[in-house]
Amino acid sequence: MTEEMARARRLVGEAGRIVVLTGAGISAESGVPTFRGAGGLWKSHRSEELATPEAFARDPQTVWEWYSWRRGLIADCAPNRGHLALARLALGDTPTTIVTQNVDGLHTRAAHEAAGSAEPSPALPVEVHGAIDRDKCSACGARTPGTTSVDTSSHDSLPRCAACDGMLRPDVVWFGEALEPEILSRAFQVAQDADLCLVVGTSALVQPAASVPLATLQEGGLLIVVDLERTPLSGEAEVSLLGPAGELLPELLDVEPPT
Ligand code: BV8
Ligand code: ZN
């Protein structure tokens, strides 16, 4: 075990209250493409082309094609050892809240898997950017389980709201759209109350999510950054652990160090 890992494990052991902020990097080992990494989602499309209300108004078929493709891809993925280690931490003795930018639902699945027949709610994530497996009506705002196979062959074939016949959209937060106020304030509240923030697999470029760890710092708390490479938050970190989250998180968080 490296000196860095030993120091980080001590910080986790001594923490009174923990907040975790995750990004696409934690789901990479599950097969979900990241946004900026190799083969990243933003590589072939500029985010504003697809993840904005303007793009949806201009060309809903293409936007639905993209989200339908991502839904199919995510449906074939499963939580990895990183998701499960965080879920076990949150189900343990130290009060821990997982805040995620991911819309893939893998933290939620890890919470149920790790909890088994016990109560999973302590490990259920605060999803600040929504969830891809839900639909939301762009007219009345009604939320419904996501339409699995979206027929994008014509404008009229796109999914409609059963209540008001408005156009359905994925229940995710697009660029230029405000995050849900109560979800955002919960994310910043748990960050302020925490004395340790674990930042896992995020390039920390998208606001306001990237400022969540700063709320912990401003209250005198500490940061541990887990990423394949240095990120804009590495400079603020007490410890930076460089490597795959699926390998580092079990070593960092599991009570029994791996033999
Ligand atoms: C808003 C859902 C205003 C959709 C997403 C201030 C300054 C500058 C700009 C702004 C600002 N404030 C607002 C903005 C604009 C904008 C913004 O931040 N733009 C950026 C690009 C500059 N923010 C917004 O528009 C937000 N809304 O501000 O509204 C407003 C306010 C009031 C009233 C009206 C309006 C909304 C932002 C949310 C957008 N939606 N997702 C969808 O998914 O389709 S953002 C999306 O991109 C993700 O959710 C995530 O947040 C982001 C991607 O970042 P990461 O997850 O970090 O992924 P990335 O690929 O970049 O990095 C992966 C990392 O993992 C890397 O570091 C890599 O090294 C590492 N890694 C890879 N593999 C592994 C690994 N690490 C460990 N192990 C591995 N195996
Ligand atoms: Zn509706």
Side-chain angles (χ1 to χ4, degrees):
M1 183 183 301
T2 64
E3 165 44 36
E4 289 300 83
M5 180 57 82
R7 214 150 62 83
R9 281 174 58 84
R10 256 195 316 278
L11 290 174
V12 171
E14 292 156 3
R17 191 172 282 278
I18 298 174
V19 65
V20 183
L21 176 71
T22 68
I26 193 160
S27 295
E29 292 152 83
S30 294
V32 181
T34 64
F35 289 78
R36 286 176 183 75
L41 287 170
W42 295 151
K43 284 284 182 226
S44 45
H45 304 283
R46 286 195 354 273
S47 54
E48 49 284 354
E49 270 171 51
L50 291 158
T52 63
E54 295 77 21
F56 191 66
R58 191 177 52 243
D59 182 359
Q61 272 175 271
T62 302
V63 172
W64 259 124
E65 237 170 72
W66 190 58
Y67 279 96
S68 181
W69 167 73
R70 287 175 65 191
R71 276 183 177 172
L73 188 154
I74 288 167
D76 299 341
C77 296
N80 61 57
R81 298 173 63 228
H83 295 105
L84 293 167
L86 288 174
R88 284 194 298 273
L89 173 71
L91 293 169
D93 305 337
T94 307
T96 298
T97 304
I98 299 168
V99 175
T100 189
Q101 300 167 77
N102 303 343
V103 297
D104 58 29
L106 294 182
H107 281 298
T108 301
R109 287 167 58 187
H112 290 283
E113 195 174 321
S117 57
E119 176 52 45
S121 55
L124 294 177
V126 177
E127 297 173 309
V128 295
H129 292 161
I132 202 168
D133 65 355
R134 270 196 318 258
D135 289 346
K136 183 170 81 169
C137 174
S138 48
C140 73
R143 287 185 163 85
T144 46
T147 317
T148 39
S149 58
V150 177
D151 174 355
T152 59
S153 58
S154 73
H155 190 282
D156 299 344
S157 69
L158 295 175
R160 293 269 164 179
C161 173
C164 78
D165 200 41
M167 176 82 82
L168 291 181
R169 52 168 283 177
D171 185 17
V172 297
V173 180
W174 282 329
F175 286 94
E177 288 187 325
L179 281 59
E180 293 285 329
E182 64 278 351
I183 291 178
L184 188 58
S185 56
R186 175 155 159 62
F188 277 88
Q189 190 56 56
V190 291
Q192 278 159 6
D193 298 346
D195 50 17
L196 181 65
C197 178
L198 289 183
V199 182
V200 182
T202 182
S203 57
L205 296 173
V206 172
Q207 298 295 346
S211 299
V212 166
L214 306 182
T216 303
L217 279 177
Q218 270 139 25
E219 301 297 320
L222 301 175
L223 292 195
I224 293 174
V225 172
V226 177
D227 199 288
L228 282 181
E229 54 196 43
R230 290 187 64 75
T231 78
L233 286 169
S234 300
E236 308 283 341
E238 192 65 20
V239 182
S240 250
L241 300 174
L242 293 183
E247 288 167 26
L248 291 176
L249 289 175
E251 187 178 359
L252 174 64
L253 301 175
D254 284 358
V255 181
E256 297 311 314
T259 49

